[in-house]
Amino acid sequence: MMSIRFRGGTTVPTKPKKTGISTPTVDSELFDCAKRACKNSYAPYSRFRVGAAVRAASGKIYTGTNVENIAYPLGTCAEAGAIAAARVAEGGNLVLVDVAVYAEAGDAQHVPCTPCGGCRQRILEFGKNVRVQFFGTDLCCHEVTSGDLLPFSFEFDSKAEQ
């Protein structure tokens, strides 16, 4: 059984079968891309660097990193940057199939990180069953679907194509 630790030390047990979390084989190509992107982060204030890599249905991989701004909260997330790069390259044909997230704290130690709520919605905009991989506190790779991460996402009957 896994558990989630919140700030302040509260620990809540989780059951992987209910949440959809599994311990898969690491997609090393995607994680290597996310880790390299993490190194290019601009995080002078939080010193919390994040890299993300997304794989489109075309098979191409796009990366992004978090970019902070002194006028908080004007920074951007790594996932948002990777999705924007993919959209620029693939245009209206963009369908996401995989996402990997990698993060490091100020001392260059890995820290667990999943996409924030806004990025969970961004991921769902471009694929309903996107595989999302991240490393947990146990340094094992965990996998969920985009729907598992945001089960009550915004959805409309039709989407105007831009």
Side-chain angles (χ1 to χ4, degrees), residues 45-126:
Y45 311 107
S46 71
R47 301 191 46 78
F48 187 80
R49 296 176 302 283
V50 182
V54 300
R55 182 179 287 117
S58 67
K60 293 182 181 174
I61 294 176
Y62 304 92
T63 60
T65 191
N66 61 320
V67 178
E68 293 181 350
N69 188 290
I70 196 165
Y72 179 82
L74 294 180
T76 57
C77 297
E79 300 90 339
I83 292 167
R87 177 66 186 199
V88 167
E90 304 219 358
N93 299 321
L94 177 62
V95 175
L96 296 179
V97 293
D98 296 307
V99 174
V101 180
Y102 181 85
E104 293 178 350
D107 56 2
Q109 294 293 321
H110 162 73
V111 290
C113 183
T114 62
C116 73
C119 286
R120 292 173 186 203
Q121 184 66 47
R122 285 179 185 94
I123 292 166
L124 279 164
E125 286 285 320
F126 297 101

Side-chain angles (χ1 to χ4, degrees), residues 5-88:
R5 186 180 318 222
F6 294 92
R7 288 184 185 174
T10 305
T11 302
V12 178
T14 61
K15 296 180 181 177
K17 288 183 182 174
K18 286 199 178 238
T19 63
I21 294 175
S22 64
T23 305
T25 303
V26 176
D27 185 329
S28 59
E29 180 183 22
L30 210 59
F31 265 113
D32 287 347
C33 290
K35 193 170 183 177
R36 279 195 305 274
C38 179
K39 300 296 183 195
N40 290 321
S41 171
Y42 179 72
Y45 311 107
S46 71
R47 301 191 46 78
F48 187 80
R49 296 176 302 283
V50 182
V54 300
R55 182 179 287 117
S58 67
K60 293 182 181 174
I61 294 176
Y62 304 92
T63 60
T65 191
N66 61 320
V67 178
E68 293 181 350
N69 188 290
I70 196 165
Y72 179 82
L74 294 180
T76 57
C77 297
E79 300 90 339
I83 292 167
R87 177 66 186 199
V88 167

